Amino acid sequence: MSPDVDEGSTVTDFLPAERARGITIQSAAITFYWPPGNENQIEPPGEQNLPRSAIPHTINLIDTPGHADFTFEVLRSLRVLDGAVCILDGVAGVEAQTEHVWNQANTYQIPRIIFVNKLDRDGAAFAKTVKEIGIRLHGWPAVCQFPWFRDGTGKLQGVADAIGLRALLWEEGSDGKSIKSIPIRQLDELDLSLARELRKARTALVELLSEHDDHMVEQFLECDEDHLKIAPSQIVESLRRCVLKRPQTLVPVFAGASFRNIGVQPLLDAVVDLLPSPLECPDPEASLGPTKVSLNAFINGEVTILEQISTPSGKSKKKNAVQKAPMSLKAVETCALAFKVVNDSRRGVLVYVRVYSGSLTRNSLLFNTNLGISERAQRLLKMYASDAVEIDSIPAGSIGVIPGLKYARTGDTMISYTGANPKSGPPAPLNSLQLRPIDVPPPVFFTSVEPNSLAEAKNMTDSLTLLLREDPSLDVSLDPESGQTHLAGMGELHLEIATDRLINDLKAKASTGAIEIGYREKILGASLPSVGRFYKDVAGKPSQASCTAITSPLQNSSVPARPTNHSITHTITLPDSNILRIHCLLNPEEEDPLDPDQTLLPTGLSLGKVLSALENGVSAALARGPKFNYPLHSTQVDLELDPANDLGENTTPTALSGAARIAVQNALKAASEGHGSQLMEPVMLVNISLDEASLGSVVHDLNSSRGGQVLSLDTGNEVDQSNSGDHSAVSSPNGGPIFNVQQIYAPPDPFESSSSSSLTEGGIKGQRQITAKVPLKEMVGYLKHLRSLTGGRGTFVMRVDSFEVMSAQRQRMMLNEMRGQ
């Protein structure tokens, strides 16, 4: 029995969590040959016009997740791909996560084809999905195949092939291996309506190709302007040229139902026929310090690099490295990128690599240019999802696995160089060569992780380190106030899977919980001068000191320091926007500023020690507010010190610190009792991307339910109404082509619903950007709520902006929540 996605038994979904949920969580690699056969088979003599798909090719397939929480798994796979197949749900159409990943593929300029799947299900709408490709993905859909339903409206039984002008029929209930090809003339007798639509599809395909490929125009003219006379091989070559263009504006579209094995073989043929081999891809981008280079051009000595070198005199000068480049670069055996790290329960740490230059052989010494260390690849593996086969080498363009590396991380560049020093690595500038890194999106969902006991803290920390090495989209931080360890990720499900791996797979004895928000306290008025006296035994000796403090809100600059013309002020900036001003009184007979060595200071106390001790005491007092016990924010402390009266021969830094702490605590208490205190909360600067249809509900939610403040509404992509009176023209966000929905060919849907007919009105609205300030408390768990408001199309990033005073209502709600009311 064949593995089944719905039953969670597919080869590439091998994790227990994947099989339990029936979804892909972790990207998996598998290597196979298509068409099946010997990879070394060559083209038979005398048959020079065979399509590429007639000869076995090696395909390295990476199966990636579709859930938005696992975006990084897709991003790091995109980084090493030569081409991609975008699989769309024929019922749901172009979904939000598809748009996000498609835009990332645009960034890497990866050639793509599209397969519309699940066309055997109720509610499938191929035509609607095709139009959404133009509307949402901003590419011209070239319909190469469309579904063939029994009697026009019955079960899906095959596909109509506009390239080969034929229908492909799959036997019902079979394993999909038996396919019957029906030419167009025979189809006229079998299903006349399908034959007519197939001719329309061929005409539309040739017309679209002619707009993007000049060679197709020539073929069209040579065939007496007859769309049906053009050979299928010419159409395939034209499609290939369009797919390999950068940027890609035309996207071939195929159809089928993988559950019933319908349309899978033609799709694999299209992968071989249309997508590029590694040799046809652009030279990989690399960098040597600040200099950008093309990898193979640099290794071949074709790039001029001006290298900074040091002379014996200590000065630096530039020299041209090209003169010796051919000699030194010939020794480069391989250059590879580590794009994934997995901790396998049986094999240990596995590092997935893509080889970009040369060949990676077993026992090679690899120099990690990101970390500056060398590691030996003692074994090499070719992966078949969870299974592996040992191999001797990984050639350029292939993907393989190196087990046992201790330091390599996602995004690291590794070089093998003949004669390299195991410690220092290859010579400059090769030791700084780095391939284009893998961008890590910022985390947006947070939870706390705590060890079950202090004895388990180290084990939990080690497990978190290993988890971060596997998944760089996770983030671990320690809150200095609460002492909590915060674990952040891309979403609720992402963190659920991460904590499950932490506890069950890595055996960390820990528990998760809610995040404690770090609030602040602010006094609302200035205090009267408050004296703090310290008199205690320190280290068995009596010690004393005193000082006077005045506290006030920072914006209240009218509070004067108590005296005098004979003082010098030292201003110190403290955390949380607090300011300390220390006023040191001078002897009236002294005209010069206070000097560390003058006799007013006790023996053994320098001015630096005095200021440091006072700062420590004030910081300790500000760490705990007078009313709510939260740290103080936006507070100005004026501290007056009269060395003649406040200090003595037995004064120590500890006594000074204690006196400052007591004086400030008393002043804060007096200010709070006299003028009151308010709570402040952390406010995040949030940037939300969403479709215009959801703009109103999200803005209303931010303003009314979350206590937020919308700062700006920016436009992503605009609807171009100049070309079409029915408002059906859409421009892409990057200034690409303008799409008129009416010009996109799609065969009629036999089960067309009202949603399909209203597509041109509801689907063309552009993307919008909301910039807002929102309290952090309201952003905890916001991702799930945003997805529900936007139908899954909303995303956001945020960063800490400032602390702001809470309204009376929010302060009351927060205090009641803390009291459990």
Side-chain angles (χ1 to χ4, degrees):
M1 184 175 179
S2 299
D4 192 320
V5 173
D6 299 287
E7 294 179 1
S9 59
T10 51
V11 174
T12 52
D13 293 336
F14 55 86
L15 293 178
E18 292 177 316
R19 299 199 166 184
R21 291 174 169 83
I23 61 173
T24 301
I25 292 172
Q26 179 177 278
S27 59
I30 187 169
T31 301
F32 65 95
Y33 307 111
W34 187 262
N38 183 358
E39 62 173 319
N40 297 318
Q41 178 181 333
I42 61 173
E43 185 174 334
E47 299 190 37
Q48 302 297 325
N49 295 323
L50 283 176
R52 291 176 178 83
S53 56
I55 304 169
H57 286 70
T58 302
I59 297 179
N60 293 298
L61 173 68
I62 299 181
D63 178 31
T64 60
H67 196 285
D69 281 13
F70 306 104
T71 297
F72 181 68
E73 283 292 324
V74 184
L75 296 186
R76 63 173 162 189
S77 299
L78 283 175
R79 171 62 185 81
V80 297
L81 294 182
D82 296 325
V85 178
C86 177
I87 300 178
L88 301 181
D89 187 329
V91 179
V94 178
E95 299 178 85
Q97 179 65 3
T98 306
E99 296 178 52
H100 179 65
V101 174
W102 190 271
N103 290 333
Q104 292 295 331
N106 285 337
T107 302
Y108 292 116
Q109 294 192 341
I110 296 174
R112 283 146 283 168
I113 61 177
I114 289 177
F115 180 67
V116 182
N117 194 23
K118 301 182 180 180
L119 292 174
D120 57 329
R121 296 192 176 184
D122 293 339
F126 180 78
K128 179 176 76 71
T129 303
V130 168
K131 292 180 180 179
E132 285 186 350
I133 292 171
I135 292 169
R136 299 194 182 281
L137 304 184
H138 309 288
W140 283 105
V143 176
C144 300
Q145 294 175 355
F146 59 90
W148 178 18
F149 297 98
R150 183 181 301 165
D151 300 325
T153 57
K155 283 186 176 182
L156 180 73
Q157 60 181 0
V159 296
D161 181 12
I163 299 175
L165 276 178
R166 59 180 179 167
L168 300 175
L169 178 64
W170 274 261
E171 182 181 344
E172 185 176 359
S174 68
D175 58 2
K177 293 181 179 178
S178 176
I179 308 173
K180 183 179 180 181
S181 178
I182 305 172
I184 186 73
R185 296 188 182 279
Q186 186 178 343
L187 193 62
D188 286 332
E189 303 174 1
L190 185 65
D191 192 331
L192 182 58
S193 61
L194 180 69
R196 289 173 177 171
E197 193 61 45
L198 185 56
R199 289 183 172 90
K200 291 181 182 178
R202 164 61 87 91
T203 301
L205 179 60
V206 172
E207 291 288 340
L208 183 60
L209 288 172
S210 299
E211 295 176 8
H212 294 81
D213 179 32
D214 292 339
H215 290 84
M216 178 52 64
V217 177
E218 297 175 4
Q219 289 294 323
F220 180 64
L221 296 175
E222 289 177 6
C223 293
D224 301 325
E225 301 185 12
D226 188 340
H227 303 84
L228 306 183
K229 285 185 178 180
I230 301 176
S233 60
Q234 296 296 333
I235 293 181
V236 169
E237 290 303 314
S238 179
L239 283 167
R240 183 179 180 84
R241 285 190 291 270
C242 292
V243 168
L244 298 187
K245 279 185 180 179
R246 287 173 169 78
Q248 181 182 353
T249 56
L250 182 145
V251 189
V253 180
F254 297 85
S258 59
F259 180 70
R260 300 183 185 277
N261 295 312
I262 295 177
V264 177
Q265 294 94 328
L267 175 66
L268 290 173
D269 287 342
V271 168
V272 176
D273 287 335
L274 304 182
L275 295 180
S277 72
L279 297 176
E280 296 171 297
C281 293
D283 201 353
E285 178 184 319
S287 62
L288 291 163
T291 306
K292 301 293 183 183
V293 296
S294 295
L295 176 65
N296 290 310
F298 167 69
I299 290 179
N300 294 332
E302 302 169 3
V303 179
T304 301
I305 302 294
L306 293 178
E307 181 189 352
Q308 291 289 134
I309 62 172
S310 298
T311 62
S313 62
K315 298 180 180 180
S316 63
K317 67 177 183 178
K318 292 183 178 179
K319 75 169 186 178
N320 194 327
V322 170
Q323 298 303 319
K324 70 169 188 175
M327 297 298 296
S328 61
L329 297 179
K330 284 180 181 178
V332 177
E333 296 176 351
T334 187
C335 181
L337 179 74
F339 68 94
K340 183 179 175 67
V341 179
V342 175
N343 183 46
D344 187 88
S345 58
R346 293 178 295 167
R347 303 180 182 91
V349 175
L350 305 177
V351 178
Y352 286 72
V353 296
R354 160 73 192 264
V355 178
Y356 282 97
S357 177
S359 179
L360 175 58
T361 58
R362 188 163 49 184
N363 288 323
S364 295
L365 184 67
L366 297 175
F367 181 75
N368 189 319
T369 61
N370 296 77
L371 300 177
I373 58 176
S374 297
E375 296 187 84
R376 190 169 295 279
Q378 296 180 347
R379 297 166 57 210
L380 299 177
L381 303 176
K382 180 183 289 187
M383 297 302 296
Y384 296 91
S386 60
D387 297 325
V389 175
E390 293 229 15
I391 54 177
D392 294 326
S393 64
I394 305 173
S398 293
I399 289 171
V401 170
I402 308 174
L405 297 184
K406 295 181 179 179
Y407 305 105
R409 309 161 304 174
T410 296
D412 285 353
T413 299
M414 292 183 288
I415 294 176
S416 176
Y417 185 86
T418 303
N421 187 308
K423 293 184 178 180
S424 60
L430 267 177
N431 57 0
S432 63
L433 177 67
Q434 292 184 7
L435 293 164
R436 183 177 179 177
I438 300 174
D439 297 326
V440 181
V444 294
F445 202 90
F446 309 86
T447 189
S448 66
V449 183
E450 299 297 331
N452 293 341
S453 65
L454 289 177
E456 298 294 336
K458 185 179 184 304
N459 182 40
M460 187 194 78
T461 302
D462 293 341
S463 298
L464 284 173
T465 302
L466 186 56
L467 197 63
L468 288 182
R469 189 182 173 198
E470 282 190 14
D471 187 354
S473 64
L474 293 170
D475 181 72
V476 174
S477 60
L478 181 66
D479 189 336
E481 298 171 18
S482 65
Q484 282 187 320
T485 299
H486 290 176
L487 180 64
M490 302 303 298
E492 187 174 8
L493 181 59
H494 185 206
L495 284 188
E496 182 183 335
I497 298 297
T499 53
D500 180 72
R501 277 193 48 72
L502 179 70
I503 296 171
N504 296 326
D505 296 346
L506 303 179
K507 307 302 180 184
K509 295 181 179 179
S511 57
T512 60
I515 287 180
E516 294 182 10
I517 305 296
Y519 295 100
R520 297 292 185 270
E521 188 172 337
K522 179 181 180 180
I523 56 176
L524 300 180
S527 69
L528 296 174
S530 176
V531 179
R533 293 185 174 86
F534 181 93
Y535 185 85
K536 286 184 179 180
D537 287 347
V538 177
K541 297 180 180 180
S543 181
Q544 64 179 10
S546 62
C547 61
T548 304
I550 300 175
T551 59
S552 60
L554 186 58
Q555 66 269 25
N556 187 355
S557 58
S558 60
V559 179
R562 276 199 325 168
T564 85
N565 294 330
H566 299 282
S567 68
I568 181 171
T569 300
H570 301 270
T571 302
I572 300 174
T573 302
L574 301 176
D576 288 331
S577 300
N578 297 316
I579 289 182
L580 168 62
R581 298 195 302 180
I582 301 174
H583 309 278
C584 293
L585 301 186
L586 302 176
N587 188 322
E589 299 178 358
E590 296 285 347
E591 297 296 335
D592 296 329
L594 188 64
D595 186 273
D597 298 324
Q598 64 180 277
T599 57
L600 288 177
L601 292 179
T603 304
L605 277 184
S606 65
L607 179 60
K609 289 183 178 180
V610 170
L611 296 179
S612 177
L614 293 176
E615 180 183 351
N616 292 338
V618 171
S619 296
L622 293 176
R624 192 176 180 88
K627 185 175 182 180
F628 302 108
N629 295 329
Y630 285 107
L632 272 296
H633 194 282
S634 302
T635 302
Q636 178 176 301
V637 178
D638 287 276
L639 205 64
E640 179 186 307
L641 180 69
D642 182 358
N645 299 315
D646 293 335
L647 307 180
E649 289 300 325
N650 59 351
T651 298
T652 62
T654 302
L656 270 173
S657 180
R661 176 177 54 80
I662 295 170
V664 174
Q665 284 177 338
N666 293 338
L668 289 171
K669 183 177 180 181
S672 179
E673 291 175 349
H675 304 280
S677 298
Q678 274 188 319
L679 278 176
M680 302 180 73
E681 62 182 340
V683 174
M684 313 301 288
L685 185 65
V686 185
N687 292 297
I688 303 173
S689 301
L690 72 168
D691 58 312
E692 190 170 1
S694 308
L695 183 66
S697 58
V698 173
V699 170
H700 180 267
D701 176 69
L702 290 173
N703 287 334
S704 61
S705 303
R706 302 188 177 272
Q709 176 189 0
V710 175
L711 303 179
S712 67
L713 300 175
D714 301 322
T715 303
N717 56 293
E718 299 287 352
V719 177
D720 182 30
Q721 301 177 357
S722 61
N723 291 1
S724 175
D726 60 2
H727 297 182
S728 59
V730 187
S731 62
S732 67
N734 57 4
I738 296 175
F739 295 91
N740 190 326
V741 181
Q742 306 301 328
Q743 295 178 355
I744 296 177
Y745 165 77
D749 283 324
F751 319 104
E752 185 174 9
S753 63
S754 58
S755 61
S756 301
S757 59
S758 62
L759 177 66
T760 55
E761 297 179 7
I764 62 175
K765 294 189 177 181
Q767 286 290 112
R768 300 298 295 269
Q769 301 282 337
I770 300 175
T771 303
K773 285 186 175 183
V774 187
L776 172 59
K777 185 177 187 301
E778 303 300 333
M779 296 306 296
V780 176
Y782 179 66
L783 180 62
K784 187 175 182 180
H785 184 71
L786 177 64
R787 287 175 180 169
S788 68
L789 288 177
T790 61
R793 288 190 160 80
T795 60
F796 76 95
V797 293
M798 65 180 181
R799 61 177 175 82
V800 177
D801 182 70
S802 61
F803 279 85
E804 293 188 1
V805 175
M806 298 178 70
S807 65
Q809 179 183 1
R810 286 187 59 80
Q811 180 173 309
R812 185 166 54 252
M813 290 174 58
M814 190 277 289
L815 293 175
N816 290 339
E817 183 179 323
M818 293 182 64
R819 298 186 187 112
Q821 299 178 358

